[in-house]
Amino acid sequence: MQNKKEKKSEKLLNVLDGMTRVKGMRLMRYINWGHLGKTSLLVGFLFFFCEVLIYYIVLLQCTWPQIETNTKHSSVKVMMLADVHLLGPRFGHWFDKLRREWQMYRTFQTAMTLHNPQVVFILGDIFDEGHQCNEIEFNNYVKRFHSVFSVPENTKLYVVIGNHDIGFHYGISPRLKERFERSFNTSSVEMVTINNNIFILVNSMALHGDNCFLCKPAEDKLKEVSEILKCAKSGSATSNGCKKYKSLPLYSPPIFLQHFPLYRPSDSHCKEPDSAPPRIINEPFREFWDCLARGSTNKVLDYLEPRAVFSGHTHHGCFTIHRNRIPEWTLPSFSWRNKNDPSFVLAAFAPDTFLVSKCYMPKESTVIHLYMIGAFLILMWMYFTRFRYLKGTLYKEK
């Protein structure tokens, strides 16, 4: 009795297996492998266009400003960006981190290829959690930064310290300050001369003016830089005050770079395309938090007498004139995480003149819309070509 039941079960299984094979064979007949391959190519092209090609299309529209100089010295081409905010281990989803870093990597490396700047300045907040990391996390942070923002051997890279890198003034410890300066070979006040153009890089948090371990050395260094500039301007290296300096640069009014903007009441006067949105553009700035204090701003302008100022921190673009003659460009964030329409600066400097142009990156909303439109068109193409194929196959079978 049991053997008969087993034989019946085996026969039933064989019948079901045969039916499944027949249906599978029929299903295979309705698959158009050429159509599937074309669909894969379309999907791949959409991905390649949105993740690689669009950066070349957009950044090709940027050009270096052309300057005419009366000096024998050649100009220097400088790329500037701010507020990279590489995400750390605590905040931000892994996909958010992957997406933002790819966008910054693709933009930066495309700009390196297309425009080949001689110098790159990053104006602070290269990390989002630099002030909260332990040593292992910080070292990994530094490796990621150099991976995303690697530059050719003929390009110089300088980093300005931001508050997310070491903390705001009251949260900075000697360990945090020294760790960042050692990793990026920088300091609170640094003077860099390139093709006889003088760039002054300053840690904004060191301009608090309270004689703390950070501020006192920075102010002393600013005074020294001021004396060097005055000696270079006077052309008198043998005077009593200038003899202590072994060499002086050829004088040109310096370019001042820092993370915080110089003092301004708010962004209400900003008319840039990437200015702050209307809901926050009139919010008043807090000194030492949103911008430098008035006293620190006046001190810097008195010491350095710069011909131009570049800053970041607010995540929005702005153009400001100080003392009726000193222009300041505040750069927006370089990351889609903080700005739908990020941008960076391409500037040409000569000792007697300079020009600045802003280069806009692809908008995140544009890329998302391209994905949506492309996906819709591919689905429609799949639907209609599949319908025609099935119709033709069924007609042949009849």
Side-chain angles (χ1 to χ4, degrees):
M1 189 71 178
Q2 188 175 0
N3 290 335
K4 290 182 179 180
K5 288 183 179 180
E6 288 178 355
K7 288 180 179 179
K8 287 183 180 180
S9 300
E10 188 175 349
K11 287 181 179 179
L12 180 61
L13 288 173
N14 289 334
V15 170
L16 291 174
D17 184 55
M19 292 174 63
T20 304
R21 288 181 182 177
V22 170
K23 288 182 179 179
M25 291 173 68
R26 288 179 178 174
L27 180 62
M28 294 291 285
R29 290 168 58 190
Y30 290 113
I31 294 178
N32 186 336
W33 296 103
H35 175 266
L36 186 62
K38 291 176 183 178
T39 303
S40 301
L41 286 175
L42 288 173
V43 172
F45 177 77
L46 176 63
F47 182 81
F48 177 75
F49 183 87
C50 291
E51 299 301 332
V52 178
L53 193 58
I54 191 173
Y55 293 94
Y56 286 91
I57 294 172
V58 173
L59 296 185
L60 269 172
Q61 301 174 46
C62 306
T63 57
W64 287 105
Q66 301 300 313
I67 61 174
E68 295 182 2
T69 175
N70 295 321
T71 67
K72 62 181 179 180
H73 306 288
S74 59
S75 61
V76 58
K77 293 180 177 179
V78 176
M79 177 180 174
M80 298 185 195
L81 53 119
D83 293 277
V84 171
H85 285 276
L86 291 175
L87 288 174
R90 293 168 180 79
F91 304 114
H93 191 269
W94 68 267
F95 182 77
D96 187 30
K97 183 186 298 184
L98 176 67
R99 183 76 183 128
R100 307 320 184 188
E101 288 190 19
W102 170 256
Q103 169 258 332
M104 290 187 285
Y105 169 81
R106 194 63 269 157
T107 300
F108 188 79
Q109 296 305 326
T110 303
M112 290 293 105
T113 301
L114 295 178
H115 302 297
N116 191 27
Q118 295 167 270
V119 187
V120 176
F121 291 108
I122 301 182
L123 306 183
D125 279 1
I126 63 173
F127 302 142
D128 194 58
E129 303 172 30
H131 56 308
Q132 298 173 298
C133 288
N134 59 37
E135 297 303 318
I136 296 176
E137 292 169 342
F138 186 81
N139 291 334
N140 289 332
Y141 237 155
V142 173
K143 290 179 182 177
R144 280 169 52 207
F145 170 81
H146 287 298
S147 175
V148 174
F149 296 98
S150 61
V151 297
E153 290 184 3
N154 61 340
T155 301
K156 297 178 181 178
L157 175 66
Y158 296 93
V159 172
V160 176
I161 303 173
N163 57 284
H164 273 266
D165 300 320
I166 63 173
F168 278 105
H169 176 266
Y170 291 112
I172 299 172
S173 66
R175 180 184 67 85
L176 291 174
K177 170 184 174 292
E178 291 166 5
R179 180 176 71 177
F180 189 90
E181 291 181 348
R182 181 178 64 255
S183 298
F184 291 95
N185 191 28
T186 187
S187 61
S188 291
V189 177
E190 191 173 0
M191 184 171 73
V192 177
T193 302
I194 305 170
N195 289 6
N196 293 306
N197 295 279
I198 301 172
F199 299 88
I200 310 296
L201 288 63
V202 174
N203 176 358
S204 301
M205 290 74 69
L207 299 179
H208 210 80
D210 61 355
N211 289 324
C212 70
F213 81 95
L214 184 68
C215 300
K216 181 64 168 63
E219 186 163 347
D220 291 342
K221 182 64 177 179
L222 268 179
K223 290 178 181 178
E224 180 183 341
V225 169
S226 178
E227 290 178 4
I228 292 173
L229 292 174
K230 288 177 181 177
C231 291
K233 186 176 182 180
S234 67
S236 177
T238 57
S239 62
N240 291 334
C242 302
K243 286 182 180 179
K244 57 185 175 182
Y245 302 116
K246 295 180 180 179
S247 62
L248 294 173
L250 291 176
Y251 179 77
S252 62
I255 299 100
F256 179 53
L257 310 174
Q258 65 163 350
H259 181 60
F260 284 2
L262 296 178
Y263 173 78
R264 58 179 185 252
S266 70
D267 270 352
S268 57
H269 66 287
C270 304
K271 306 299 180 185
E272 299 287 293
D274 52 5
S275 297
R279 60 183 175 82
I280 62 170
I281 199 167
N282 294 314
E283 289 184 2
F285 278 8
R286 301 164 297 169
E287 298 182 31
F288 294 123
W289 294 94
D290 303 311
C291 63
L292 281 190
R294 300 185 199 193
S296 299
T297 296
N298 288 327
K299 188 177 291 185
V300 165
L301 295 180
D302 290 340
Y303 280 159
L304 302 179
E305 298 180 354
R307 53 174 160 154
V309 179
F310 294 88
S311 58
H313 187 58
T314 66
H315 295 178
H316 304 291
C318 187
F319 179 74
T320 309
I321 297 290
H322 299 278
R323 297 185 175 179
N324 298 320
R325 60 184 175 83
I326 302 173
E328 177 184 10
W329 284 268
T330 299
L331 278 58
S333 175
F334 192 70
S335 172
W336 275 352
R337 191 168 187 257
N338 302 317
K339 194 79 175 168
N340 180 50
D341 53 345
S343 63
F344 57 91
V345 158
L346 296 177
F349 294 96
D352 60 336
T353 186
F354 70 94
L355 283 176
V356 175
S357 66
K358 187 173 284 187
C359 184
Y360 288 91
M361 296 145 60
K363 293 182 179 179
E364 184 176 33
S365 57
T366 299
V367 174
I368 292 173
H369 289 153
L370 286 173
Y371 267 122
M372 294 172 65
I373 294 169
F376 174 77
L377 292 175
I378 291 172
L379 287 173
M380 294 303 294
W381 179 81
M382 289 173 62
Y383 174 79
F384 285 111
T385 53
R386 179 66 175 163
F387 176 77
R388 288 198 301 270
Y389 175 74
L390 287 175
K391 186 177 179 180
T393 305
L394 291 172
Y395 179 78
K396 288 178 183 178
E397 288 186 352
K398 289 179 180 178

